[in-house]
Amino acid sequence: MNEKKMSFRAKARIFLYTAAVITVLGIFGIVQYTKAQKFERETQLTKQMALISLDEYLGNIAGDLEKTIYTSTPTMLSQLSTELWRQSSGAKNSLMMLPTTNGTLGNTYKFLSQVGEFVMALGRKSSAGEEISEEEREQLKKLYEYCTVLNEQVNSMCYDMQNDELTFEEYKSTLLGGNTGVSTVGKSLDDAEQSLSDLPSLIYDGPFSDHIEQSEPKFLKGTDEITKNKALTVAGDACEEEKASLKFAYEESGAIPCYVFQSDNCTVAVTKNGGKVLYMINAQFAGEIQVKYEEAIETALKFLKKIGYTNLKESYYFTEDGICTINFAGYENGIVYYPDLIKVSVNLETGKVHSFDASGYVSNHFNRTESTQIITEDDARGIINPNLQILGVQLCVIPTEWKSEQYCYEVHCSTDNGQELLVYIDCTTGEEDNILILLYSDGGVLTK
């Protein structure tokens, strides 16, 4: 009898334990599901905000481009060029946060880069007393037309999103009998990319000019091609938090062929030859600023060293929507090499690297032999306008529009009213090669 009672009690305990385990697992599953749902909602909201911001930026760019076509004074052109640079930078940050399909958005990025840099170049030309040519005004009109078309397409995407006719995920419109009439953002962006397929080449003195982008990457010369698996390891080291979920997405052709890997929040491109990280894009917005500029520089330098880019010096920076973008240039033996450009963006809320682009460095860096300066630093100081106060002198290398480089003295000066500028004196001829005006704002430092 006792054995039967004990058996019954044992069975009761097992039943209760099993029920308790099932209950705990059920609660755990609900909690995890709730967290996953919350994360997905936040991710979707981030992407929706990025699309809306991109639409606003493109609208502002189109308006300012139209004004630029008709402006006739250097002052107004300077104001418009600064604003266009800011708007185009914001548009690129928004574009980074949006998903694509199997293609890339190279033409769209190129367009946004050209808008800011080309108009900045025209602003410098106008400030120097030169007239804007009819050919250049025609190029501005062409850029305006492209921007109008692109803006209309993105505006249509925003309208479809608000009416639940656009999704950010491919599977929602194709699997399980879903509404196949619903478009995806990736496909729509690829369609918009096609409208820029015949974007004209603009040759101007800027870091994104075509003559730099189309050059053979000097940094990778003589390096071997790596495997896709090796490239994935390199990508994982650059994007550690997303390492486990990074997957091969597609191969990118062009002047610098790459393997491209993606996770939910990160895109990383690794060069096929040499296995160097070419760019990285993180799809997260910044909230309240918690990190100082000095901390952002330290974070950026640690990241650059980790992925194999050393001997760099920060130059200028700009902060937009909580993202601080810092320009780094090559720096060896006291010489700054401006063609070796790397851009690192840091999220000022989290203090983590938001995006990275080493296209300029990979295209232009090589082991240079130091030039023999015909003029000395004292000679360069003597060439500067006597009405300017010299704050400092730096030996540097700058790119030319003829795909070459030249050594200059970069002379940091100040006017009587406190306006700072950089005067570049050719080390060989002693002539003033260029003058840049420094623009200080709450967001950072720019030049015109």
Side-chain angles (χ1 to χ4, degrees):
M1 183 70 177
N2 287 338
E3 290 181 0
K4 290 183 178 179
K5 288 182 178 180
M6 291 297 292
S7 177
F8 176 77
R9 289 174 183 171
K11 290 179 179 179
R13 289 194 193 97
I14 293 173
F15 175 78
L16 291 173
Y17 289 154
T18 303
V21 170
I22 292 174
T23 301
V24 170
L25 289 175
I27 294 172
F28 178 78
I30 292 171
V31 170
Q32 292 302 110
Y33 176 77
T34 302
K35 287 183 178 179
Q37 289 291 97
K38 180 182 178 182
F39 176 77
E40 184 178 354
R41 286 196 301 271
E42 290 175 348
T43 301
Q44 291 297 310
L45 180 60
T46 296
K47 293 175 181 177
Q48 289 171 3
M49 291 173 62
L51 185 62
I52 293 171
S53 295
L54 178 61
D55 182 43
E56 292 177 353
Y57 281 125
L58 288 172
N60 293 335
I61 291 171
D64 286 342
L65 273 174
E66 187 172 18
K67 295 176 186 177
T68 304
I69 296 170
Y70 303 112
T71 188
S72 59
T73 63
T75 302
M76 178 56 68
L77 184 57
S78 175
Q79 292 176 2
L80 289 170
S81 65
T82 301
E83 184 62 19
L84 278 166
W85 193 96
R86 188 182 72 83
Q87 296 287 345
S88 61
S89 296
K92 285 190 287 185
N93 284 335
S94 296
L95 191 64
M96 288 176 183
M97 301 174 190
L98 296 173
T100 61
T101 55
N102 294 326
T104 64
L105 299 177
N107 288 331
T108 309
Y109 282 111
K110 176 182 175 181
F111 165 75
L112 292 171
S113 297
Q114 284 188 340
V115 165
E117 298 294 339
F118 180 57
V119 181
M120 273 288 190
L122 294 184
R124 291 193 292 268
K125 180 178 179 179
S126 180
S127 297
E130 299 180 48
E131 293 288 333
I132 305 301
S133 68
E134 284 303 315
E135 180 183 359
E136 287 166 335
R137 291 194 184 276
E138 287 300 317
Q139 289 178 321
L140 283 172
K141 290 179 182 179
K142 201 69 176 176
L143 287 175
Y144 169 70
E145 291 171 4
Y146 279 110
C147 188
T148 301
V149 172
L150 186 59
N151 187 207
E152 289 175 352
Q153 292 170 316
V154 174
N155 187 263
S156 178
M157 291 167 62
C158 289
Y159 178 83
D160 289 342
M161 179 183 70
Q162 293 170 355
N163 290 278
D164 296 325
E165 295 178 359
L166 185 78
T167 179
F168 290 89
E169 307 296 341
E170 187 74 26
Y171 68 85
K172 290 182 179 178
S173 63
T174 57
L175 297 182
L176 303 178
N179 180 9
T180 56
V182 176
S183 300
T184 65
V185 168
K187 177 63 168 60
S188 298
L189 286 174
D190 287 345
D191 290 342
E193 171 81 356
Q194 293 303 312
S195 67
L196 300 173
S197 59
D198 59 342
L199 192 66
S201 292
L202 302 177
I203 303 299
Y204 57 92
D205 187 16
F208 286 99
S209 57
D210 290 349
H211 67 271
I212 291 178
E213 285 189 341
Q214 292 173 357
S215 61
E216 181 182 353
K218 298 175 183 176
F219 185 50
L220 305 179
K221 189 174 182 179
T223 58
D224 296 327
E225 184 171 330
I226 65 169
T227 65
K228 195 181 299 181
N229 287 336
K230 173 62 176 176
L232 177 58
T233 301
V234 174
D237 291 339
C239 195
E240 288 183 347
E241 292 188 359
E242 302 288 330
K243 186 174 184 177
S245 55
L246 278 175
K247 298 185 184 304
F248 174 74
Y250 52 85
E251 293 186 14
E252 194 170 276
S253 58
I256 310 176
C258 293
Y259 298 112
V260 180
F261 303 91
Q262 291 180 330
S263 65
D264 289 339
N265 295 313
C266 192
T267 298
V268 188
V270 178
T271 63
K272 287 185 177 181
N273 285 81
K276 303 297 293 185
V277 181
L278 185 67
Y279 65 81
M280 183 185 77
I281 302 167
N282 194 301
Q284 292 183 332
F285 277 104
E288 184 178 353
I289 293 178
Q290 305 286 344
V291 177
K292 295 180 180 179
Y293 167 65
E294 292 76 14
E295 296 174 283
I297 289 180
E298 186 177 348
T299 296
L301 284 171
K302 286 182 179 178
F303 173 78
L304 290 169
K305 184 177 180 180
K306 181 180 71 172
I307 60 174
Y309 291 98
T310 57
N311 298 324
L312 296 162
K313 182 178 182 179
E314 72 275 6
S315 53
Y316 306 111
Y317 73 97
F318 190 79
T319 300
E320 178 78 16
D321 296 330
I323 304 296
C324 180
T325 300
I326 308 162
N327 288 339
F328 291 87
Y331 184 71
E332 288 187 84
N333 301 319
I335 303 173
V336 178
Y337 295 93
Y338 285 115
D340 299 357
L341 177 68
I342 293 181
K343 294 191 175 187
V344 183
S345 296
V346 177
N347 186 316
L348 295 183
E349 179 189 22
T350 64
K352 297 178 180 178
V353 173
H354 174 268
S355 60
F356 157 84
D357 183 1
S359 301
Y361 189 95
V362 171
S363 295
N364 299 300
H365 178 73
F366 65 100
N367 293 324
R368 301 171 174 90
T369 56
E370 288 191 29
S371 171
T372 301
Q373 287 82 49
I374 294 179
I375 68 169
T376 65
E377 180 180 322
D378 288 338
D379 292 332
R381 287 175 176 269
I383 296 168
I384 298 300
N385 187 312
N387 294 319
L388 296 175
Q389 178 186 356
I390 297 177
L391 304 178
V393 181
Q394 170 75 63
L395 189 60
C396 67
V397 171
I398 62 174
T400 73
E401 59 182 293
W402 300 283
K403 300 184 182 181
S404 61
E405 299 178 345
Q406 68 184 51
Y407 283 79
C408 290
Y409 286 104
E410 180 185 71
V411 187
H412 186 189
C413 303
S414 176
T415 64
D416 291 339
N417 62 6
Q419 174 64 64
E420 294 182 30
L421 58 152
L422 301 173
V423 181
Y424 292 88
I425 306 296
D426 191 311
C427 287
T428 303
T429 65
E431 296 290 333
E432 289 180 328
D433 182 80
N434 202 352
I435 298 177
L436 298 179
I437 297 174
L438 295 176
L439 304 174
Y440 291 91
S441 69
D442 292 338
V445 186
L446 299 174
T447 62
K448 71 172 182 178

